[in-house]
Amino acid sequence: MPLAPTVRPIRSGRPSRIRRSRRGVGAALAAVLAIGLSACAPDPVSESFLSGDNTGYVAADGAIVEITVAERGEPVDFGGVTETGDELDSADLAGQVTVVNFWYAGCAPCRVEAEDLESVWQEYEGDGVSFVGVNTRDQADTAIAFAEEYGITYPSLIDVDTAQAKLAFAEATPIAATPTTLVLDKQGRVAARIIGPIDGTSILSTLVKDALAESS
């Protein structure tokens, strides 16, 4: 007859075999949840949008990531409808450096950085640079009101209903914070990423200038 397992007291006063049992149950539940989530969406960004959990600004530390030409992925194919009802497709931006800013009107850091984004856009408008916003939460009328209040003259895709644009970018680079600003090179590949507000114009201006200086 096999011997009964030895029960050793632990600090909580509960037997160790009970702790092992609960750990086993916890691990099993975690595995089930992981499988379920992976089946529902390809990444946490997709999961958040598909479940409607994008309820507020996600804090970030303003991290800046530059990607060397050799390490860049494929061009990002994105598009959608702007706040004015116009169709916009990444094919229309071919050969240009493109700045893509993810935002929504209720995001306080988005309001703070709006003027700086517009300033950099004005600096490079006409020099082979495009700016595109991706509004992740608002409908067109709110986006239009925001643009009028903050003097924004570049278009924004209204992405709240489909998350089409954000999911396209999420396949190429993490988009876990709002705001996030990306600089795409002339081939449409992600060349730089700013997580959080851009904090003035100088860094974004330099990133755009560097992308412009690259050979096509």
Side-chain angles (χ1 to χ4, degrees), residues 4-43:
T6 302
V7 178
R8 297 178 180 175
I10 54 178
R11 291 182 181 177
S12 64
R14 297 185 179 93
S16 59
R17 60 175 177 176
I18 294 176
R19 173 172 288 186
R20 287 197 298 271
S21 175
R22 289 180 177 173
R23 284 178 178 172
V25 171
L29 288 174
V32 170
L33 288 173
I35 292 171
L37 290 177
S38 63
C40 294
D43 52 53

Tab-separated table of all heavy atoms in Angstrom, residues 4-43:
chain	number	residue	atom	x	y	z
A	4	ALA	N	0.808	7.502	2.625
A	4	ALA	CA	0.109	8.775	2.461
A	4	ALA	C	1.120	9.898	2.342
A	4	ALA	O	2.184	9.846	2.948
A	4	ALA	CB	-0.801	9.009	3.673
A	5	PRO	N	0.809	10.930	1.531
A	5	PRO	CA	1.755	12.036	1.376
A	5	PRO	C	1.997	12.736	2.694
A	5	PRO	O	1.102	12.884	3.524
A	5	PRO	CB	1.044	12.950	0.376
A	5	PRO	CG	-0.399	12.610	0.479
A	5	PRO	CD	-0.441	11.141	0.801
A	6	THR	N	3.224	13.142	2.886
A	6	THR	CA	3.585	13.857	4.104
A	6	THR	C	3.089	15.286	4.036
A	6	THR	O	3.321	15.986	3.051
A	6	THR	CB	5.105	13.870	4.291
A	6	THR	OG1	5.551	12.522	4.332
A	6	THR	CG2	5.492	14.598	5.564
A	7	VAL	N	2.383	15.741	5.042
A	7	VAL	CA	1.875	17.109	5.099
A	7	VAL	C	2.814	17.920	5.958
A	7	VAL	O	2.997	17.638	7.140
A	7	VAL	CB	0.449	17.137	5.686
A	7	VAL	CG1	-0.037	18.570	5.770
A	7	VAL	CG2	-0.487	16.292	4.840
A	8	ARG	N	3.413	18.947	5.340
A	8	ARG	CA	4.355	19.790	6.068
A	8	ARG	C	3.741	21.153	6.299
A	8	ARG	O	3.211	21.780	5.379
A	8	ARG	CB	5.649	19.948	5.279
A	8	ARG	CG	6.380	18.620	5.076
A	8	ARG	CD	7.615	18.832	4.249
A	8	ARG	NE	8.324	17.571	4.033
A	8	ARG	CZ	9.389	17.460	3.250
A	8	ARG	NH1	9.848	18.519	2.622
A	8	ARG	NH2	9.982	16.284	3.100
A	9	PRO	N	3.780	21.639	7.523
A	9	PRO	CA	3.196	22.952	7.787
A	9	PRO	C	3.982	24.045	7.090
A	9	PRO	O	5.189	23.968	6.953
A	9	PRO	CB	3.289	23.076	9.319
A	9	PRO	CG	4.423	22.185	9.693
A	9	PRO	CD	4.388	21.043	8.720
A	10	ILE	N	3.264	25.078	6.628
A	10	ILE	CA	3.902	26.255	6.032
A	10	ILE	C	3.477	27.476	6.822
A	10	ILE	O	2.644	27.392	7.732
A	10	ILE	CB	3.517	26.388	4.543
A	10	ILE	CG1	1.983	26.386	4.390
A	10	ILE	CG2	4.107	25.267	3.728
A	10	ILE	CD1	1.535	26.563	2.969
A	11	ARG	N	4.016	28.622	6.466
A	11	ARG	CA	3.828	29.808	7.307
A	11	ARG	C	2.372	30.178	7.473
A	11	ARG	O	1.965	30.703	8.491
A	11	ARG	CB	4.599	30.990	6.710
A	11	ARG	CG	6.108	30.814	6.809
A	11	ARG	CD	6.815	32.017	6.256
A	11	ARG	NE	8.258	31.866	6.322
A	11	ARG	CZ	9.107	32.765	5.851
A	11	ARG	NH1	8.671	33.857	5.276
A	11	ARG	NH2	10.415	32.550	5.960
A	12	SER	N	1.587	29.943	6.460
A	12	SER	CA	0.184	30.323	6.566
A	12	SER	C	-0.594	29.379	7.455
A	12	SER	O	-1.736	29.640	7.788
A	12	SER	CB	-0.461	30.338	5.167
A	12	SER	OG	-0.456	29.029	4.634
A	13	GLY	N	0.018	28.216	7.799
A	13	GLY	CA	-0.694	27.228	8.598
A	13	GLY	C	-1.436	26.224	7.753
A	13	GLY	O	-2.006	25.276	8.264
A	14	ARG	N	-1.441	26.403	6.392
A	14	ARG	CA	-2.115	25.469	5.511
A	14	ARG	C	-1.126	24.426	5.037
A	14	ARG	O	0.054	24.703	4.885
A	14	ARG	CB	-2.702	26.201	4.304
A	14	ARG	CG	-3.778	27.221	4.679
A	14	ARG	CD	-4.375	27.796	3.412
A	14	ARG	NE	-5.422	28.759	3.731
A	14	ARG	CZ	-5.217	30.055	3.855
A	14	ARG	NH1	-4.007	30.535	3.717
A	14	ARG	NH2	-6.204	30.869	4.143
A	15	PRO	N	-1.584	23.188	4.776
A	15	PRO	CA	-0.678	22.159	4.306
A	15	PRO	C	-0.144	22.468	2.927
A	15	PRO	O	-0.825	23.061	2.100
A	15	PRO	CB	-1.541	20.893	4.297
A	15	PRO	CG	-2.938	21.312	4.509
A	15	PRO	CD	-2.947	22.730	4.974
A	16	SER	N	1.103	22.053	2.665
A	16	SER	CA	1.748	22.362	1.401
A	16	SER	C	1.043	21.724	0.232
A	16	SER	O	1.034	22.253	-0.859
A	16	SER	CB	3.209	21.900	1.434
A	16	SER	OG	3.287	20.509	1.664
A	17	ARG	N	0.416	20.554	0.418
A	17	ARG	CA	-0.232	19.920	-0.720
A	17	ARG	C	-1.444	20.729	-1.171
A	17	ARG	O	-1.808	20.725	-2.344
A	17	ARG	CB	-0.659	18.490	-0.371
A	17	ARG	CG	-1.636	18.362	0.761
A	17	ARG	CD	-2.064	16.921	0.936
A	17	ARG	NE	-2.944	16.762	2.068
A	17	ARG	CZ	-3.516	15.611	2.387
A	17	ARG	NH1	-3.262	14.537	1.647
A	17	ARG	NH2	-4.307	15.516	3.439
A	18	ILE	N	-2.073	21.466	-0.260
A	18	ILE	CA	-3.177	22.335	-0.657
A	18	ILE	C	-2.656	23.483	-1.502
A	18	ILE	O	-3.220	23.857	-2.505
A	18	ILE	CB	-3.918	22.870	0.581
A	18	ILE	CG1	-4.591	21.714	1.306
A	18	ILE	CG2	-4.924	23.930	0.200
A	18	ILE	CD1	-5.276	22.121	2.592
A	19	ARG	N	-1.515	24.042	-1.112
A	19	ARG	CA	-0.928	25.113	-1.900
A	19	ARG	C	-0.577	24.621	-3.299
A	19	ARG	O	-0.832	25.278	-4.298
A	19	ARG	CB	0.313	25.668	-1.201
A	19	ARG	CG	1.068	26.681	-2.053
A	19	ARG	CD	2.174	27.378	-1.284
A	19	ARG	NE	1.608	28.330	-0.322
A	19	ARG	CZ	2.371	29.140	0.386
A	19	ARG	NH1	3.683	29.118	0.296
A	19	ARG	NH2	1.804	29.982	1.239
A	20	ARG	N	0.009	23.396	-3.367
A	20	ARG	CA	0.352	22.860	-4.677
A	20	ARG	C	-0.895	22.670	-5.522
A	20	ARG	O	-0.922	22.925	-6.710
A	20	ARG	CB	1.087	21.527	-4.500
A	20	ARG	CG	2.513	21.666	-3.997
A	20	ARG	CD	3.281	20.378	-4.245
A	20	ARG	NE	2.685	19.259	-3.509
A	20	ARG	CZ	3.028	18.944	-2.271
A	20	ARG	NH1	3.937	19.659	-1.619
A	20	ARG	NH2	2.454	17.916	-1.658
A	21	SER	N	-1.966	22.217	-4.891
A	21	SER	CA	-3.206	22.005	-5.622
A	21	SER	C	-3.745	23.305	-6.181
A	21	SER	O	-4.166	23.388	-7.319
A	21	SER	CB	-4.231	21.358	-4.694
A	21	SER	OG	-5.482	21.246	-5.325
A	22	ARG	N	-3.721	24.344	-5.365
A	22	ARG	CA	-4.237	25.631	-5.830
A	22	ARG	C	-3.364	26.218	-6.926
A	22	ARG	O	-3.834	26.830	-7.864
A	22	ARG	CB	-4.340	26.595	-4.652
A	22	ARG	CG	-5.467	26.219	-3.704
A	22	ARG	CD	-5.579	27.164	-2.539
A	22	ARG	NE	-6.709	26.825	-1.703
A	22	ARG	CZ	-6.967	27.411	-0.542
A	22	ARG	NH1	-6.161	28.341	-0.082
A	22	ARG	NH2	-8.024	27.050	0.167
A	23	ARG	N	-2.055	26.002	-6.793
A	23	ARG	CA	-1.178	26.468	-7.870
A	23	ARG	C	-1.498	25.765	-9.175
A	23	ARG	O	-1.490	26.349	-10.245
A	23	ARG	CB	0.277	26.234	-7.483
A	23	ARG	CG	0.810	27.219	-6.464
A	23	ARG	CD	2.239	26.892	-6.104
A	23	ARG	NE	2.764	27.862	-5.159
A	23	ARG	CZ	3.940	27.724	-4.563
A	23	ARG	NH1	4.680	26.659	-4.813
A	23	ARG	NH2	4.371	28.653	-3.724
A	24	GLY	N	-1.793	24.464	-9.078
A	24	GLY	CA	-2.123	23.713	-10.284
A	24	GLY	C	-3.391	24.233	-10.930
A	24	GLY	O	-3.481	24.396	-12.145
A	25	VAL	N	-4.415	24.511	-10.102
A	25	VAL	CA	-5.663	25.056	-10.629
A	25	VAL	C	-5.425	26.412	-11.265
A	25	VAL	O	-5.916	26.726	-12.353
A	25	VAL	CB	-6.719	25.166	-9.508
A	25	VAL	CG1	-7.934	25.927	-10.010
A	25	VAL	CG2	-7.114	23.783	-9.031
A	26	GLY	N	-4.606	27.267	-10.581
A	26	GLY	CA	-4.312	28.593	-11.128
A	26	GLY	C	-3.610	28.508	-12.460
A	26	GLY	O	-3.920	29.243	-13.394
A	27	ALA	N	-2.647	27.583	-12.565
A	27	ALA	CA	-1.921	27.430	-13.826
A	27	ALA	C	-2.846	26.965	-14.929
A	27	ALA	O	-2.765	27.415	-16.070
A	27	ALA	CB	-0.774	26.433	-13.636
A	28	ALA	N	-3.761	26.060	-14.591
A	28	ALA	CA	-4.698	25.568	-15.598
A	28	ALA	C	-5.614	26.675	-16.086
A	28	ALA	O	-5.878	26.819	-17.278
A	28	ALA	CB	-5.525	24.413	-15.004
A	29	LEU	N	-6.129	27.486	-15.136
A	29	LEU	CA	-6.981	28.607	-15.526
A	29	LEU	C	-6.233	29.595	-16.394
A	29	LEU	O	-6.763	30.117	-17.368
A	29	LEU	CB	-7.526	29.303	-14.269
A	29	LEU	CG	-8.593	28.546	-13.484
A	29	LEU	CD1	-8.918	29.288	-12.199
A	29	LEU	CD2	-9.839	28.352	-14.319
A	30	ALA	N	-4.975	29.894	-16.026
A	30	ALA	CA	-4.175	30.822	-16.821
A	30	ALA	C	-3.987	30.302	-18.231
A	30	ALA	O	-4.050	31.058	-19.209
A	30	ALA	CB	-2.812	31.041	-16.158
A	31	ALA	N	-3.758	28.990	-18.354
A	31	ALA	CA	-3.573	28.410	-19.678
A	31	ALA	C	-4.841	28.524	-20.508
A	31	ALA	O	-4.807	28.848	-21.696
A	31	ALA	CB	-3.154	26.939	-19.540
A	32	VAL	N	-5.991	28.248	-19.863
A	32	VAL	CA	-7.262	28.352	-20.579
A	32	VAL	C	-7.511	29.773	-21.045
A	32	VAL	O	-7.928	30.030	-22.174
A	32	VAL	CB	-8.422	27.870	-19.677
A	32	VAL	CG1	-9.767	28.192	-20.317
A	32	VAL	CG2	-8.297	26.377	-19.437
A	33	LEU	N	-7.262	30.748	-20.148
A	33	LEU	CA	-7.456	32.142	-20.520
A	33	LEU	C	-6.539	32.544	-21.649
A	33	LEU	O	-6.932	33.258	-22.569
A	33	LEU	CB	-7.225	33.041	-19.301
A	33	LEU	CG	-8.306	32.991	-18.226
A	33	LEU	CD1	-7.864	33.788	-17.004
A	33	LEU	CD2	-9.622	33.527	-18.758
A	34	ALA	N	-5.289	32.111	-21.591
A	34	ALA	CA	-4.335	32.465	-22.641
A	34	ALA	C	-4.780	31.915	-23.973
A	34	ALA	O	-4.715	32.594	-25.001
A	34	ALA	CB	-2.945	31.927	-22.278
A	35	ILE	N	-5.258	30.670	-23.979
A	35	ILE	CA	-5.725	30.072	-25.230
A	35	ILE	C	-6.934	30.822	-25.756
A	35	ILE	O	-7.052	31.125	-26.938
A	35	ILE	CB	-6.060	28.582	-25.007
A	35	ILE	CG1	-4.781	27.801	-24.719
A	35	ILE	CG2	-6.765	28.001	-26.221
A	35	ILE	CD1	-5.024	26.370	-24.263
A	36	GLY	N	-7.844	31.160	-24.839
A	36	GLY	CA	-9.039	31.870	-25.259
A	36	GLY	C	-8.739	33.225	-25.851
A	36	GLY	O	-9.278	33.613	-26.882
A	37	LEU	N	-7.844	33.964	-25.214
A	37	LEU	CA	-7.497	35.286	-25.713
A	37	LEU	C	-6.792	35.204	-27.037
A	37	LEU	O	-7.030	36.002	-27.938
A	37	LEU	CB	-6.622	36.016	-24.684
A	37	LEU	CG	-7.333	36.438	-23.399
A	37	LEU	CD1	-6.323	37.082	-22.446
A	37	LEU	CD2	-8.466	37.392	-23.685
A	38	SER	N	-5.873	34.245	-27.176
A	38	SER	CA	-5.148	34.138	-28.436
A	38	SER	C	-6.082	33.747	-29.561
A	38	SER	O	-5.867	34.098	-30.721
A	38	SER	CB	-4.011	33.115	-28.312
A	38	SER	OG	-4.535	31.815	-28.057
A	39	ALA	N	-7.158	33.034	-29.241
A	39	ALA	CA	-8.103	32.651	-30.273
A	39	ALA	C	-8.973	33.824	-30.694
A	39	ALA	O	-9.428	33.891	-31.827
A	39	ALA	CB	-8.986	31.512	-29.763
A	40	CYS	N	-9.203	34.757	-29.764
A	40	CYS	CA	-10.085	35.881	-30.061
A	40	CYS	C	-9.386	36.972	-30.843
A	40	CYS	O	-10.000	37.668	-31.636
A	40	CYS	CB	-10.624	36.486	-28.757
A	40	CYS	SG	-11.712	35.392	-27.852
A	41	ALA	N	-8.092	37.186	-30.599
A	41	ALA	CA	-7.412	38.321	-31.206
A	41	ALA	C	-5.933	38.037	-31.297
A	41	ALA	O	-5.385	37.315	-30.475
A	41	ALA	CB	-7.647	39.579	-30.362
A	42	PRO	N	-5.252	38.633	-32.305
A	42	PRO	CA	-3.845	38.343	-32.476
A	42	PRO	C	-2.934	38.998	-31.464
A	42	PRO	O	-1.794	38.614	-31.317
A	42	PRO	CB	-3.559	38.874	-33.894
A	42	PRO	CG	-4.607	39.909	-34.129
A	42	PRO	CD	-5.819	39.429	-33.383
A	43	ASP	N	-3.398	40.024	-30.741
A	43	ASP	CA	-2.555	40.710	-29.785
A	43	ASP	C	-3.421	41.501	-28.823
A	43	ASP	O	-4.611	41.652	-29.033
A	43	ASP	CB	-1.558	41.639	-30.504
A	43	ASP	CG	-2.261	42.562	-31.478
A	43	ASP	OD1	-3.206	43.250	-31.053
A	43	ASP	OD2	-1.871	42.592	-32.655
